[in-house]
Every structure is written in C-alpha cells, then in structure tokens.
Amino acid sequence: MLRSLRDGAKSGVLRYILFGFMGLAVAGLVLTDVGGFFRGGISNNIVAKGKNIEISTIQFDRTVRRILARQGMGSQEAYQLGLINQILQGEVQTQIMTREASKLGININDETVKVQIAKLAAPLATEGKSKGEALREILRSQGISENEFVQSIRLEMSNSLYGDALLGGAKKLSLNEAKDLYQFQNEKRDFVGIVLKDKDAEASEQPTEENIQKYYNANKSDFAIPEKRSITIATLSKEMLADQVEITDEELKAIYDEAIDSYKKPEQRTLEQAVFTTQAEAQEVYNKTLAGQALKDATKAVTGEDTSYLGENDFEQNGLLEEISSPVFAALKGDIIEPVKTALGWHVITVKEVTAPSTTRFDAVKADIKDSLLQERLLEDLIETANNLDDQLAGGAPLDEVATEMGLTKEAITDINQAGVSLSGTDALESYQGDKAQILEAAFDFDAGETAPVMELTDGRFIAVRVDSVTPLSYTPFDQVKTQLETRWMTQQRQLANRARAEDAMAKLSAGTSLEEIAAEIGGSVQNFNGLARASTPQAPITLPALREIFRSMEGENLKLSVQNGFVIGTVGKSSLPDIENASAEIEKIREETAATFPQEIFAQYINTMAAQYKVEINERALRAIYGTPVDG
C-alpha cells in the first residue's frame, strides 16, 4: 500500500502530499470514544487523542478543508457520507506510523529529501514549463507552502521506510505455496448422478375451488395493488425574489471600506530561480550571472541541461522558504542573490521585479461585492418568505391562492406509489433525487387535501407538498388471477412431490442401491458430469452452489444437490490436479497478484492493533458540532 503511493508516477505528485491518507481503505480501523474522555465538559479543541497522539480541531479542520476543496464537496455532506471520519482515521494512522518510526530512530536527512523531491518534480515538467514551475503551481493550487511540502515528503519517506520493513516478509507467496494455490484453483472433479426435474413429478392431487381460494388468501400480498397518491408541489426559489432586492452604490462602498484590509496586496517579488545539487555548481552559475550571462544560459552552460532552471515566478514573503525569504526581500530590483541552501538544494536567485504593496480599487471589485450582497439578501428574503408561506398554510390558507399571491411555481404529480413510481413505470420524482425521500414521506403521511409543512431542498429551494388524492391499497380480484393461481398451485405440488422422490432416492442410494437401479425404478437415466472445474461456471443443470458442494465433499460421497427446477442425486467421483511442470507463468502470476493483497491485509491488522495500544479515541461530539448537525447534550 505504501509502495503503491510512491511508485505510481502517473498519478502525480499529490499522492505524496496526501500520504497521510494512505490507509483510508483499510477496513476495521474503528476508533471510538470508549473511554469517555470527551464526555461532559471537556473542550472541543481536540478531535482525537491517545498515548502521545493529539490532533487539534484547528489542525484537523485545515486538512479537511484542503481535501474537500479538491473534491468540490461541502463539509456537512462529507460528514454524512463518513468521509470526515475517514480523513481523521488517516491522520491518526499517520501519527501512529510516525511515532513507531521515530522509536526505531528512522530519520531522513536533507540531502535524501532533496533527491526525492527532484524525482517527484521530473514527470511534472511539460513543454514550456519547468518542473519547478509545475510543482509550485500544484502546491499553490492545493494551498500548501514549500516548507509544508518538504516536511510532508520527509514524513512520508520515514513512514515508508518503516512500512517497508514491517511488510518486508510479506511481498509474495513462496513458490511452493503458489504451486499449491494453483493446483487448488484448477482442480477438477467428476460427478455421476440422476437429474430429477420438478415438471416430471406427479402431483398428489388436482386443485379444487376451495384449496385455490385458500392459496389466494395465503398469498394475497402477491396480488396487492399498492396505495397511490397524487400530489402538487409548490416551489419557492431565491431567483423569484431577485426583482425585489435593491442595492445602492453607497451600501457597496461602505462594505468595501469596512473590508479594506482584504483588498490590500503585500509587496511581491518577481524571482528568476535555478536550484542545483551542489554548492560548486551554484557558485559557478552565480559567477557567470554576475558577469552578465543570463541565468538560464549560465545554468545550461554549467550543468549541460536546463532542468535546474525554474524560470520566473511572483512571490509574497510568506510564500518562500525561510532560508531565502529574508535575503530576497532585502534585495533590490536587479540584484543577484548569492547561493542559498535549502532542503530543495542550492538556489541562485535574480530579483527581476519589485511590486510595491497595493490596494485593489473599489471599481474593480464593485460587481463582486454587489453579487455577494445580492446573494446574501436573497437568502435572507428567501428564508423570510418561506416562513411566511409556512405560516399561511398552517393557518389554513389554500395552497393555490398562496402560490398565486407569492408567484410560486406548481407541479402536479399523479398516481405515484411509495417508491415515487408512476403508473407508466417511470420515476415521477427524478428531478428531486436528493430530496425524494422527504417528499414521499410528506406525500404518504398526510391525508387528501392536507399540505405538509414547508421543507427546504438540498439545492436551497423551499417547497410545499399538498396531497390531492389517495387511492387506497387494493388487491387483484380472485376471479382475475384464478388461472394463474391454479398454475402456481400445481407447480408447487410438483415441487413437493419431486422433493419427496429425491429424498427417497437419496435414502436408497445411501442404503447401497445403485444409481442405475434407482434410475430404472423412477424412469430416469444416469448422467456423467466429468471434468467439473472449481474455478469455472458449470453448465446446467449443475449450479454454482451445487458445484461448491461437490468440491467440499469427499470422493465417493453421496449428495442430494438442489439445482434449478429440481434436484440431482449422485456420487462424487475422482479428483484430478493440474500438472505444474508447464505452468510456471500461471504460478508466477499468482505470486504477483497476491503480492499486492497480502501486505494490505497485514498492514490493516497492524494498524488496528497499534490503535488499540495507543488507546486512540475520537471526539465524535466535536466532529458532529463542526461538520454535522449540532445536537444538545
């Protein structure tokens, strides 16, 4: 699992940034507040803790926001889907691995981290863009600083070293184990038996009017005509209220002035950079640049390639590594910074441009402020109007009159069952998929003529559901299904009769009567089912459950197998194993396939055990308060 995150070059650099979530697929890591540490008056500043493990709410929320931003998902939705807990389990897993690696003295030095980053950046370079530019673009898009990235790589590498050592003995099956598994999977068996089909059995009696009527009464639910409802849905959306909102320029300017700090841009520097593996290379390039040669040309002249050249990019002071931020922002336009060492290597930097602090003008952001304020006002008006709508309906005002007065849209949906399916068999509530359950609940909880309380949809709209008519549950009359009932009754009688003769035949076979004698007695024939393969789909009448039963039994054992529309009575024949002399390719394939699954299973067991030893507990109260629907107590 750890190796797959490192070796999957095509998946991009984000797998290294997200190394802390490598175990989200590990089943069974259940962390709960079993010790009651978070109950009572304990602060919600911690979301998880254990022995030498503590994850703060702020620290965790930063990780959550970063991940959900990439997924385009809201935090409440993520909480409902269980993703928040998965992310937290991944964070806990990472801390466990880090502490165990630290106990063993595993530490990654700066040089090793630098080499690893260079490897990661190489596949990111595209035509017209250096690997450094591509890497920085990804880091900026993910909201991760260079320093955070360096530390994440260091942590991932130490955890990977520890994980590799942990799983080092579980990479592949041994050759003998793979041979045994190959023979097991490709074993074949013979079976000889008599097929007893239901349709060939004689029913003990013919149906009468009385027993068919009793059969109808006992199975009446099979002929139920579900209850149906017709409803009207009246919808209120914020777009309906847009014409009612007035916003003046004075209001917008006041908002701008109040939030003026958010429109201020700090000083920026446009930097041209190159990063080198050795100080000697950096110094030589620096000297050439001082002598007037372009940094890109000097880099290629010294290294023979331009992969170390990172090009030009704009930076704020807090967006640079600590080692280079101070000299860069102390320099003037045109200055060339002497080689500086960081975890990424030796930097040679030219200050190409200095952009003074500035403030975005009001005119440039006026439209954005107006749109934001409009949405805010519309939301307020929408909620107020929805409450008014609910009050009027609760007071007995007819839905049609209120809808006309407020300009609501109406949709009539007729004759749907409790699954929302119409008489034509289509999903009548397909356009309400995220809210279908609560609409159906309202439709079937109220009587005809009643309107359910106003409800909010997942897309922000509000609706009122009125029940227009109710068609009660009914049943297809007996006379209309009598013929069908007779056929079903006779089929069931033949099944019972066939079961009885199968049990009788099985008793005789167990007592020593041969299959040939039994077949002659019941008018059947003995059939050979030779070469049944464990790993293949059998041909009729043998079914997969019957095949499994044959392979679970011993040679010479008598079996009564249930098959489609009947039974097979017979005896398990000889088994045969495949030759392994010419199956080296298949055996090696088995070893390769199990190499991926075995370590994952071992890793899952390890994490579960360590979580128990660290006594890790989750503060569900805090998670629910932050990401779910807060509840009291």
Side-chain angles (χ1 to χ4, degrees):
M1 181 181 300
L2 300 174
R3 185 183 298 276
S4 68
L5 289 177
R6 295 199 312 278
D7 293 344
K10 293 183 179 180
S11 65
V13 72
L14 294 185
R15 67 185 182 281
Y16 299 98
I17 300 173
L18 300 178
F19 71 94
F21 307 104
M22 57 194 170
L24 293 186
V26 176
L29 178 54
V30 180
L31 309 174
T32 58
D33 182 14
V34 294
F37 289 179
F38 296 107
R39 297 173 190 161
I42 301 300
S43 169
N44 278 343
N45 292 334
I46 304 297
V47 292
K49 68 178 180 179
K51 182 181 178 182
N52 298 323
I53 289 179
E54 185 172 283
I55 301 176
S56 71
T57 301
I58 295 175
Q59 170 192 354
F60 178 64
D61 187 64
R62 185 183 180 194
T63 299
V64 167
R65 301 295 172 185
R66 183 182 296 157
I67 293 174
L68 297 186
R70 289 192 292 270
Q71 302 298 324
M73 181 183 296
S75 60
Q76 190 169 27
E77 180 186 2
Y79 180 77
Q80 292 171 349
L81 294 174
L83 181 58
I84 298 296
N85 282 88
Q86 284 186 329
I87 295 173
L88 183 53
Q89 288 172 8
E91 289 290 281
V92 170
Q93 175 182 305
T94 298
Q95 291 212 18
I96 289 175
M97 293 287 289
T98 300
R99 279 152 183 74
E100 291 300 302
S102 178
K103 289 179 182 179
L104 297 176
I106 298 176
N107 186 35
I108 309 300
N109 60 37
D110 291 345
E111 186 65 25
T112 304
V113 172
K114 180 179 65 177
V115 172
Q116 180 69 3
I117 290 175
K119 290 180 180 178
L120 298 181
L124 300 175
T126 58
E127 186 175 348
K129 183 181 296 184
S130 71
K131 59 185 179 183
E133 291 173 330
L135 178 59
R136 282 192 297 276
E137 283 184 10
I138 290 178
L139 295 183
R140 283 196 296 269
S141 69
Q142 301 303 318
I144 298 175
S145 69
E146 291 184 26
N147 187 56
E148 287 177 308
F149 178 61
V150 171
Q151 294 306 316
S152 71
I153 292 299
R154 189 189 309 277
L155 187 59
E156 191 272 342
M157 293 181 72
S158 66
N159 286 357
S160 295
L161 282 175
Y162 179 61
D164 287 344
L166 175 68
L167 304 175
K171 299 304 181 185
K172 285 186 179 181
L173 289 176
S174 69
L175 184 58
N176 287 334
E177 288 172 328
K179 288 178 179 179
D180 290 342
L181 183 55
Y182 170 76
Q183 289 193 312
F184 173 81
Q185 292 175 343
N186 293 278
E187 178 187 1
K188 292 185 177 181
R189 288 196 175 187
D190 295 338
F191 185 79
V192 58
I194 306 170
V195 180
L196 303 176
K197 296 182 179 179
D198 294 337
K199 67 182 183 64
D200 297 331
E202 293 288 339
S204 58
E205 57 179 309
Q206 295 298 312
T208 64
E209 183 81 12
E210 181 181 1
N211 54 31
I212 291 299
Q213 181 67 58
K214 290 180 179 179
Y215 187 75
Y216 171 77
N217 293 336
N219 297 276
K220 199 172 182 179
S221 61
D222 293 348
F223 306 100
I225 302 173
E227 177 184 354
K228 292 182 288 293
R229 300 275 176 125
S230 294
I231 61 175
T232 294
I233 299 178
T235 303
L236 169 68
S237 66
K238 62 183 181 181
E239 287 76 18
M240 297 175 181
L241 308 174
D243 294 339
Q244 304 175 20
V245 179
E246 294 184 3
I247 299 176
T248 65
D249 286 350
E250 290 74 15
E251 288 180 285
L252 299 178
K253 186 62 166 61
I255 294 173
Y256 171 81
D257 291 339
E258 185 177 349
I260 191 66
D261 288 344
S262 66
Y263 299 109
K264 293 180 178 180
K265 296 180 181 179
E267 180 180 343
Q268 286 188 332
R269 300 290 168 103
T270 302
L271 306 180
E272 183 183 23
Q273 286 193 78
V275 181
F276 304 94
T277 304
T278 67
Q279 183 179 11
E281 288 180 329
Q283 189 65 44
E284 186 175 354
V285 169
Y286 171 73
N287 293 337
K288 288 180 177 292
T289 307
L290 279 181
Q293 192 171 10
L295 179 57
K296 184 175 182 179
D297 295 338
T299 299
K300 190 167 185 179
V302 172
T303 64
E305 55 184 13
D306 56 10
T307 55
S308 296
Y309 178 73
L310 304 183
E312 294 185 15
N313 286 278
D314 296 330
F315 291 94
E316 297 174 6
Q317 188 164 7
N318 61 5
L320 291 170
L321 290 173
E322 184 178 349
E323 296 91 336
I324 61 177
S325 63
S326 295
V328 162
F329 274 80
L332 301 176
K333 178 180 177 180
D335 285 354
I336 303 173
I337 311 298
E338 291 190 17
V340 179
K341 184 181 181 182
T342 73
L344 298 175
W346 287 89
H347 297 245
V348 176
I349 303 171
T350 298
V351 180
K352 304 294 290 185
E353 191 66 57
V354 175
T355 304
S358 64
T359 302
T360 304
R361 294 180 299 103
F362 170 67
D363 290 343
V365 295
K366 177 181 175 181
D368 291 337
I369 297 174
K370 183 175 183 179
D371 182 67
S372 177
L373 182 59
L374 175 63
Q375 297 305 316
E376 182 180 329
R377 294 273 179 86
L378 284 176
L379 181 58
E380 293 173 355
D381 290 351
L382 179 66
I383 294 174
E384 182 179 348
T385 305
N387 289 332
N388 182 27
L389 170 63
D390 200 34
D391 291 341
Q392 290 195 51
L393 294 175
L399 178 63
D400 291 334
E401 291 182 9
V402 177
T404 300
E405 177 186 333
M406 293 187 170
L408 310 184
T409 61
K410 292 191 298 181
E411 179 183 7
I413 300 175
T414 59
D415 293 324
I416 57 173
N417 61 21
Q418 290 186 329
V421 177
S422 67
L423 292 177
S424 63
T426 60
D427 184 355
L429 297 175
E430 184 177 5
S431 60
Y432 299 92
Q433 282 305 313
D435 310 280
K436 182 176 177 180
Q438 65 170 339
I439 293 175
L440 287 172
E441 183 178 356
F444 282 84
D445 278 356
F446 288 83
D447 294 329
E450 294 182 338
T451 301
V454 173
M455 64 183 72
E456 184 178 4
L457 302 183
T458 53
D459 61 7
R461 294 179 297 164
F462 288 86
I463 63 169
V465 178
R466 181 186 66 199
V467 180
D468 296 327
S469 64
V470 177
T471 304
L473 170 71
S474 61
Y475 300 90
T476 305
F478 172 75
D479 291 341
Q480 294 182 20
V481 294
K482 181 178 178 181
T483 302
Q484 179 184 348
L485 287 166
E486 290 176 346
T487 301
R488 286 178 57 175
W489 191 87
M490 286 299 297
T491 298
Q492 190 176 79
Q493 292 300 309
R494 290 192 180 94
Q495 289 172 344
L496 293 172
N498 194 37
R499 180 178 295 276
R501 71 169 182 163
E503 291 174 352
D504 180 62
M506 184 64 184
K508 291 178 179 179
L509 182 62
S510 300
T513 305
S514 68
L515 285 170
E516 288 75 15
E517 292 174 311
I518 296 173
E521 181 180 339
I522 62 177
S525 62
V526 178
Q527 297 185 37
N528 291 311
F529 302 94
N530 294 329
L532 295 172
R534 182 191 294 275
S536 65
T537 302
Q539 293 185 349
I542 302 298
T543 61
L544 277 174
L547 181 70
R548 296 189 189 103
E549 184 66 23
I550 290 172
F551 276 89
R552 280 196 297 265
S553 304
M554 303 294 291
E555 182 178 337
E557 187 173 346
N558 297 323
L559 299 176
K560 182 186 78 172
L561 303 172
S562 295
V563 297
Q564 188 174 6
N565 300 321
F567 299 90
V568 174
I569 307 299
T571 304
V572 178
K574 293 183 178 180
S575 299
S576 60
L577 297 176
D579 182 15
I580 61 174
E581 295 301 323
N582 298 315
S584 57
E586 291 85 350
I587 292 171
E588 186 58 31
K589 183 179 179 180
I590 289 176
R591 298 185 71 199
E592 292 296 332
E593 290 173 347
T594 56
T597 58
F598 277 18
Q600 291 178 16
E601 293 175 4
I602 292 174
F603 186 73
Q605 292 297 325
Y606 167 77
I607 289 297
N608 287 335
T609 301
M610 296 309 299
Q613 290 184 12
Y614 276 85
K615 298 181 180 180
V616 178
E617 296 167 358
I618 299 300
N619 188 351
E620 286 292 351
R621 176 193 291 270
L623 294 179
R624 185 170 59 247
I626 300 170
Y627 306 110
T629 302
V631 295
D632 296 332

